Amino acid sequence: MGNVQMLLRQHVGAPCAPCVEVGAEVKKGTLIATPTGLGANIFSSVYGKVTEITEDRIIIEPAAEQPDEFIPVTESVEGITDESSKLDLVKAAGIVGMGGAGFPTGVKLNINLEETPMGELDPEINPELPKDFKLDCGYILVNAAECEPGLEHNTKQIEEQSDKLIRGIKYSMEITHAKKAIIAIKKKHHKAIKVLQKALENEPDIKMHLMADIYPMGEERAVVRECLGVLLTTTQLPSAARSVVINVETVCKIAEAVDEKKPCISKNMTVRGKLNGGNEAHVFFDVPVGVSVGEMIEKAGGIDGKYGEIIMGGAFTGKSTTLDAPTTKTTGAVLVTIEFPDLHGATMGILVCACGGSEERMREIASKMNAKVVSMCKCKQAIENKPGAPLKCLRPGNCPGQVKNNMQFKKDKCEYILIGNCSDCSNTVMASGPKMGLKVFHQTDHVMRTVGHPLYRSLKVSKEVSQDIDF
């Protein structure tokens, strides 16, 4: 194992401050950095020695032997004991959202859903709901969608650790005073659904909701809409629908913190792509946080010849990275792609969507395709709530059309367009773009071609699925 690099910012909020010094001997679970504001504790993920502390990371040289034992948070975090509340254990463990931006879970769970009123619903985006619509109780919504195509670690964890998942759900319900829970999962995951069906036989307050295999069914507001029938505005949190949305892996970390007093020191991830041995998914559980991208690729067989880029995260929302970059609490995947096509300087328009890459990411991909960007449009549903903030989709997964943007690209003499849209938006682009002579690439094409997944173009599946488990 190479050096482990623990970034001081692995969460939404401010960077943590180191609480160890160079030369310190650390174990799995040694507290090495604490929040300076909104944030979460950071612990050593390995046995070893601190060799360097920089402005943004703590570097640890791992020992040759790596025992499974860890220091429980009751021994490493001041004020935490076996009698501490479940919420305090979650906070102490440094758990953050393991499938998204990394919002501190202890902050997210610090809510009484029994006493939380419904937020004001926007009738424009909820035309079918009565003005006085109310939910009868609070909900924990478990995001089991495995939203990004090609990833499999959440689904595999359900199949292999459903007992831990159910315990984590119950603890989350207890902490937040939620009376019910819903596990939102794509209907295509037959094995995981059967496992859950068995696990929920004696759990009347926990249900499943089956979703279509389209992107972005795992987006937080899409999960609320699909499970509860309420579409929130781009500025509303799930609490406006008396709910908390938590990713599968995060829920399991909650169970570990409560049952084992275990700090958040490891990550599950999918490694996939242009690898020796084929493009099938390699799922790794309990990877020490901070190991390098290159080390994970080697564990999966190593890169097969020339490649296009390495992505940390999913095809839609991940970012390009390097072999020496460290993984973090939020690293869900490492993807190695085929080479990019060479467009030899052809003119390109980029369509930026809230569901996919930022404008910066889209321009990076265009550059790697050797295209000249001459036009940029945003999806008409992409809302910028604050200057510079990530875009939010008005109606995630439901798109009214992109004809106007395609007309602008045509006017700007684009030969190609690069889109980063959801399944439905991509479908609307294809309804008019090719008819105007625009050649379409999707920002995920090089990943989808690598892993053998259908390209995002015309939508060929229904957005509605039966809730019957008929397989």
Side-chain angles (χ1 to χ4, degrees):
M1 181 187 296
N3 282 351
V4 167
Q5 301 182 66
M6 306 297 294
L7 296 185
L8 294 171
R9 186 171 185 172
Q10 302 192 34
H11 46 257
V12 169
C16 285
C19 58
V20 290
E21 297 180 350
V22 172
E25 298 287 340
V26 295
K27 299 178 180 180
K28 291 180 182 177
T30 298
L31 183 64
I32 61 173
T34 55
T36 59
L38 178 64
N41 287 333
I42 297 175
F43 303 84
S44 174
S45 62
V46 294
Y47 286 78
K49 182 178 180 179
V50 176
T51 59
E52 187 178 358
I53 298 176
T54 69
E55 185 176 345
D56 69 341
R57 68 194 66 194
I58 297 172
I59 301 174
I60 302 171
E61 181 181 0
E65 298 294 326
Q66 293 292 326
D68 291 334
E69 292 78 18
F70 59 86
I71 300 175
V73 294
T74 48
E75 296 179 17
S76 61
V77 180
E78 186 177 354
I80 299 299
T81 69
D82 288 333
E83 286 70 45
S84 293
S85 70
K86 292 180 176 65
L87 179 60
D88 284 342
L89 288 169
V90 170
K91 290 179 178 178
I95 302 170
V96 301
M98 310 294 280
F103 192 85
T105 305
V107 177
K108 181 178 282 193
L109 293 180
N110 190 17
I111 185 174
N112 186 335
L113 292 173
E114 182 67 20
E115 298 178 355
T116 300
M118 283 286 294
E120 184 176 349
L121 300 182
D122 185 342
E124 183 179 347
I125 58 175
N126 292 283
E128 71 287 352
L129 294 180
K131 291 183 179 180
D132 59 350
F133 176 83
K134 302 291 182 186
L135 291 165
D136 59 351
C137 67
Y139 288 83
I140 291 294
L141 304 180
V142 181
N143 180 1
E146 199 106 67
C147 191
E148 288 274 13
L151 276 56
E152 296 184 5
H153 54 283
N154 280 178
T155 306
K156 189 168 184 179
Q157 186 164 31
I158 294 171
E159 294 170 0
E160 298 185 5
Q161 300 178 1
S162 61
D163 56 338
K164 183 186 291 187
L165 177 66
I166 302 305
R167 293 199 312 274
I169 292 172
K170 288 182 172 181
Y171 294 145
S172 300
M173 294 170 69
E174 179 184 341
I175 293 169
T176 61
H177 301 276
K179 288 186 177 180
K180 297 180 182 179
I182 302 174
I183 302 170
I185 185 169
K186 290 181 180 177
K187 193 169 184 177
K188 71 174 183 177
H189 297 308
H190 293 185
K191 182 178 178 181
I193 289 170
K194 287 293 188 181
V195 169
L196 285 173
Q197 191 177 34
K198 177 72 174 176
L200 297 178
E201 284 180 348
N202 298 311
E203 303 293 346
D205 295 325
I206 307 175
K207 306 291 185 184
M208 274 188 286
H209 182 87
L210 308 182
M211 300 191 295
D213 183 21
I214 66 171
Y215 186 89
M217 278 301 180
E219 196 268 352
E220 188 171 67
R221 289 165 50 245
V223 171
V224 173
R225 179 193 64 207
E226 296 300 308
C227 291
L228 302 179
V230 174
L231 181 55
L232 303 174
T233 68
T234 58
T235 58
Q236 285 178 311
L237 297 174
S239 57
R242 303 188 70 188
S243 61
V244 171
V245 180
I246 320 179
N247 162 271
V248 163
E249 188 177 354
T250 310
V251 173
C252 291
K253 290 294 183 188
I254 292 168
E256 291 178 359
V258 174
D259 294 336
E260 306 170 47
K261 313 300 184 285
K262 186 176 182 179
C264 185
I265 57 176
S266 63
K267 184 72 182 74
N268 300 342
M269 65 183 74
T270 301
V271 182
R272 191 168 189 178
K274 196 172 187 293
L275 304 173
N276 293 316
N279 63 6
E280 295 301 311
H282 299 260
V283 172
F284 297 96
F285 284 172
D286 296 320
V287 176
V289 171
V291 302
S292 72
V293 166
E295 189 165 333
M296 294 311 302
I297 291 173
E298 287 305 311
K299 284 180 179 292
I303 298 174
D304 180 15
K306 293 183 178 180
Y307 65 95
E309 65 175 357
I310 303 170
I311 299 172
M312 186 185 294
F316 278 87
T317 59
K319 296 181 179 180
S320 62
T321 191
T322 59
L323 291 170
D324 60 354
T327 57
T328 73
K329 295 178 185 180
T330 62
T331 301
V334 174
L335 305 172
V336 182
T337 80
I338 59 173
E339 294 179 88
F340 290 91
D342 187 346
L343 300 187
H344 302 286
T347 56
M348 174 175 279
I350 57 174
L351 177 54
V352 179
C353 180
C355 298
S358 64
E359 179 181 347
E360 179 184 16
R361 172 65 174 149
M362 299 289 280
R363 288 183 180 276
E364 177 191 24
I365 293 172
S367 175
K368 289 177 176 179
M369 296 172 71
N370 193 18
K372 180 182 179 182
V373 176
V374 297
S375 183
M376 191 281 289
C377 295
K378 291 180 181 177
C379 172
K380 64 166 110 178
Q381 294 200 141
I383 308 298
E384 186 179 44
N385 291 320
K386 295 179 181 179
L391 299 174
K392 294 284 187 179
C393 182
L394 185 63
R395 298 178 180 85
N398 291 323
C399 185
Q402 298 288 353
V403 174
K404 184 177 179 181
N405 285 331
N406 283 337
M407 291 176 66
Q408 185 63 51
F409 291 138
K410 187 66 177 178
K411 179 181 178 182
D412 292 338
K413 296 181 170 53
C414 298
E415 184 177 355
Y416 294 90
I417 57 175
L418 177 66
I419 66 176
N421 305 78
C422 69
S423 299
D424 199 27
C425 280
S426 298
N427 187 64
T428 61
V429 169
M430 295 304 294
S432 60
K435 294 177 182 177
M436 298 180 189
L438 297 169
K439 302 171 186 176
V440 182
F441 281 99
H442 196 282
Q443 74 162 87
T444 65
D445 282 356
H446 59 308
V447 183
M448 299 302 100
R449 288 191 170 101
T450 304
V451 303
H453 188 284
L455 300 183
Y456 284 85
R457 296 292 192 276
S458 298
L459 186 59
K460 300 185 185 300
V461 299
S462 172
K463 291 187 287 184
E464 305 292 333
V465 297
S466 165
Q467 293 302 301
D468 295 330
I469 299 177
D470 48 8
F471 45 80

